[in-house]
């Protein structure tokens, strides 16, 4: 397996003297960068998970009361992907902002737009009050979320990757990924408390709006935490010396566009699993009578904790056997898990809980190394833009439509659709890693 998923050498495009000079200048602390990455990404994931959970617990009754519960969730899930579709557009727009002004200006605008878009949903009247305008405004704010998220790329993960010891790259790569389960855990805890403490009428009238308000405050905190790094002279110099500056999207696609799509597909098993263990189980279980929504949310918090442990384990394992080997092995394990998914998710309470917890553990093992295992293929001066677009397309291709497709097909053909969806992601990951190995050997 190691021959299939072998590690990449130093990035291309620089001579030995240039690489030596790059590594010698502007020493920055990887731990400090990692903290900035975790804080910043947690706010973004929180915003998106609040929306995802509300797609099941809130939006069907508030914005689609004219449909059945199943159709209301499906319509909510149809709005869910809009942010991922808009994300590459946001990356393109805000990259031009940075070239014209500065990284700090771009980040400030993007995070205020993200927080405002999420908080704006909290003020939306329901369908009974303003009719289809409520649905249109919900879709508009969701698009704005995606544009803002694309613009919030600060390059800190790439800077972190270039400032870690080679023997510790797997460990530092996983640190930034911890923000996903942390953001999900906070979102689940808020909804669990509100849904458990309020009456159904109060929850649907005003209680659900509170997490959307909180999102704005969290984004302000994250903004200052990230600006503390990105606007300082030390980090600005470090970014410039490593040529981590935005380039034109067309130029990026022309020069190494193939790496964007290889990178996106290489992590597809992880991204396919992402919303199938977080958002989808809430929808599927809420439609049945096996356990209550509050029980599911509580188990989801436990699952997020398992995901954190899986991410930490991925860092330890990757430093021993290599990041690509870890990613490929995790994909195979996800494929095995996919075969048992219908029986687990379609079983009793214990089986459903097992699906969530084991799924999150595997997600952590895979997602922990999903960010940088292939983006290291980019030439250093292309990595800032390349890593941003790779992430955009990985989320769009792998995760954006997962809840809609899984619920739509499962309600019609059964839970075997979940297995097929996951197995397709596994196949794409293994093929992309093989292609990546061939490209690395050719270069």
């Amino acid at each position: 397996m190691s021959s299939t998923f072998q590690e990449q050498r130093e990035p291309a495009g620089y001579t030995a003297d240039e690489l030596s000079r790059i590594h010698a200048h502007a020493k920055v602390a990887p731990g400090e960068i990692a903290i900035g990455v975790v804080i910043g990404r947690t706010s973004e994931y929180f915003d998106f998970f609040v929306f995802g959970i509300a797609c099941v617990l809130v939006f069907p009754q508030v914005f689609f009361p004219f449909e059945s519960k199943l159709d209301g969730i499906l319509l909510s899930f149809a709005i869910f992907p809009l942010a991922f579709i808009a994300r590459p557009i946001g990356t393109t727009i805000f990259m031009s902002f940075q070239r014209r002004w500065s990284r700090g200006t771009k980040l400030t605008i993007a995070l205020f737009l993200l927080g405002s878009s999420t908080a704006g949903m909290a003020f939306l009247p329901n369908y009974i009050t303003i009719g289809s305008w409520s649905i249109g405004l919900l879709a508009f704010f969701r698009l704005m979320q995606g544009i803002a998220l694309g613009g919030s790329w600060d390059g800190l993960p790439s800077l972190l990757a270039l400032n870690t010891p080679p023997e510790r790259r797997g460990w530092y790569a996983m640190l930034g990924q911890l923000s996903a389960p942390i953001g999900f855990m906070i979102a689940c805890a808020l909804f669990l408390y509100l849904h458990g403490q309020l009456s159904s009428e109060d929850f649907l009238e005003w209680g659900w709006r509170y997490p959307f308000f909180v999102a704005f405050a969290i984004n302000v905190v994250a903004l200052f935490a990230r600006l503390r790094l990105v606007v300082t002279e030390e980090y600005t110099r470090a970014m410039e010396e490593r040529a981590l500056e935005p380039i034109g999207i067309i130029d990026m696609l022309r020069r190494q566009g193939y790496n964007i799509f290889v990178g996106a597909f290489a992590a597809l098993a992880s991204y396919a699993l992402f919303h199938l263990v977080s958002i989808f189980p809430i929808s599927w279980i809420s439609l049945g009578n096996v356990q209550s929504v509050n029980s599911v949310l509580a188990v989801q918090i436990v699952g997020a904790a398992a995901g954190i442990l899986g991410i930490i384990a991925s860092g330890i394992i990757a430093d021993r056997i290599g990041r690509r080997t870890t990613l490929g092995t995790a994909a195979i394990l996800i494929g095995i898990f996919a075969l048992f998914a219908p029986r687990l998710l379609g079983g009793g309470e214990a089986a459903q809980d097992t699906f969530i917890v084991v799924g999150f553990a595997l997600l952590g093992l895979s997602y922990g190394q999903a960010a940088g295992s292939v983006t290291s293929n980019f030439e250093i001066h292309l990595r800032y833009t390349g890593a941003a677009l790779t992430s955009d397309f990985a989320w769009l291709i792998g995760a954006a439509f997962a809840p809609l497709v899984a619920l739509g097909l499962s309600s019609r053909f059964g839970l075997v659709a979940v297995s097929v969806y996951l197995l397709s992601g596994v196949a794409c990951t293994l093929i992309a890693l093989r292609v990546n190995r061939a490209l690395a050997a050719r270069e």
Side-chain angles (χ1 to χ4, degrees):
M1 183 178 292
S2 60
S3 62
T4 303
F5 310 120
Q6 65 181 17
E7 289 297 292
Q8 179 67 26
R9 59 187 181 277
E10 287 282 6
Y14 284 82
T15 66
D17 289 341
E18 290 172 325
L19 282 171
S20 176
R21 186 178 71 253
I22 284 171
H23 291 304
H25 290 177
K27 295 295 184 182
V28 289
E32 190 173 356
I33 304 173
I35 292 173
V37 173
V38 172
I39 294 175
R41 298 294 180 270
T42 297
S43 68
E44 297 168 359
Y45 283 112
F46 175 81
D47 287 21
F48 270 58
F49 280 127
V50 163
F51 187 94
I53 295 172
C55 281
V56 179
L57 304 185
V58 178
F59 296 160
Q61 295 92 325
V62 174
F63 299 110
F64 303 104
F66 50 87
E67 296 286 357
S68 66
K69 185 175 182 179
L70 171 61
D71 289 339
I73 295 176
L74 288 172
L75 287 171
S76 299
F77 281 164
I79 295 176
F80 183 81
L82 294 180
F84 299 96
I85 295 171
R87 186 169 169 172
I89 300 172
T91 297
T92 303
I93 294 172
F94 279 89
M95 287 288 182
S96 65
F97 283 4
Q98 182 175 335
R99 288 195 298 272
R100 182 167 184 176
W101 290 297
S102 68
R103 183 178 289 106
T105 301
K106 179 195 81 166
L107 189 59
T108 301
I109 296 172
L111 286 184
F112 267 99
L113 178 59
L114 179 60
S116 300
S117 299
T118 308
M121 297 176 187
F123 292 98
L124 287 178
N126 58 29
Y127 179 85
I128 296 175
T129 303
I130 61 172
S132 58
W133 279 101
S134 63
I135 301 172
L137 288 171
L138 180 67
F140 170 77
F141 283 127
R142 184 60 173 167
L143 284 169
M144 291 300 101
Q145 272 190 325
I147 290 174
L149 187 60
S152 68
W153 178 253
D154 51 24
L156 288 177
S158 296
L159 183 62
L160 176 62
L162 292 172
N163 282 275
T164 56
E167 69 277 5
R168 299 281 286 168
R169 284 174 180 165
W171 177 261
Y172 283 103
M174 72 84 185
L175 289 177
Q177 306 297 77
L178 290 170
S179 53
I182 293 173
F184 181 68
M185 187 179 294
I186 297 171
C188 271
L190 266 177
F191 272 104
L192 174 60
Y193 176 79
L194 293 167
H195 194 268
Q197 295 297 315
L198 300 176
S199 66
S200 178
E201 293 76 13
D202 286 342
F203 177 77
L204 291 176
E205 179 64 28
W206 58 267
W208 69 270
R209 302 176 188 273
Y210 181 71
F212 289 83
F213 287 128
V214 170
F216 188 85
I218 292 178
N219 274 277
V220 171
V221 173
L223 172 63
F224 284 105
R226 292 163 78 173
L227 286 179
R228 177 178 172 271
L229 292 178
V230 302
V231 302
T232 60
E233 181 180 351
E234 178 186 8
Y235 284 88
T236 299
R237 185 170 69 253
M239 299 287 277
E240 290 173 350
E241 287 182 358
R242 282 144 173 83
L244 292 176
E245 295 294 333
I247 66 170
I249 304 300
I250 295 177
D251 188 35
M252 174 73 241
L253 293 173
R254 180 179 59 82
R255 298 178 68 176
Q256 279 197 311
Y258 59 89
N259 265 335
I260 293 175
F261 294 99
V262 171
F265 280 98
L268 206 63
S270 177
Y271 287 98
L273 183 61
F274 200 96
H275 287 139
L276 290 186
V277 297
S278 57
I279 304 302
F280 172 70
I282 303 175
S283 67
W284 182 262
I285 296 174
S286 70
L287 290 169
N289 298 311
V290 176
Q291 56 180 309
S292 67
V293 168
N294 290 343
S295 296
V296 178
L297 291 174
V299 174
Q300 291 282 26
I301 294 174
V302 176
I308 291 174
L309 295 177
I311 290 174
I312 294 172
S314 78
I316 298 172
I317 295 170
D319 284 333
R320 291 179 177 271
I321 67 174
R323 288 180 293 170
R324 291 183 183 83
T325 304
T326 303
L327 193 59
T329 303
I332 293 172
L333 293 176
I334 290 172
I336 296 172
F337 173 73
L339 300 177
F340 294 93
R343 182 176 294 274
L344 291 174
L345 198 53
E349 183 174 347
Q352 292 175 342
D353 294 349
T354 300
F355 172 87
I356 292 171
V357 176
V358 173
F360 262 106
L362 290 175
L363 174 64
L365 188 63
S366 177
Y367 185 68
Q369 301 301 314
S373 59
V374 175
T375 54
S376 58
N377 288 356
F378 289 106
E379 298 174 14
I380 292 179
H381 63 285
L382 300 178
R383 189 174 294 188
Y384 182 87
T385 302
L389 289 175
T390 298
S391 177
D392 291 346
F393 284 105
W395 281 108
L396 175 59
I397 297 170
F401 297 92
L404 176 63
V405 172
L407 183 60
L409 294 180
S410 294
S411 63
R412 184 176 179 85
F413 302 108
L415 287 167
V416 68
V418 175
S419 295
V420 174
Y421 192 91
L422 285 175
L423 289 172
S424 66
V426 169
C428 288
T429 288
L430 296 178
I431 293 172
L433 288 172
R434 174 69 72 174
V435 171
N436 178 68
R437 174 180 177 270
L439 291 173
R442 187 186 69 184
E443 293 175 357

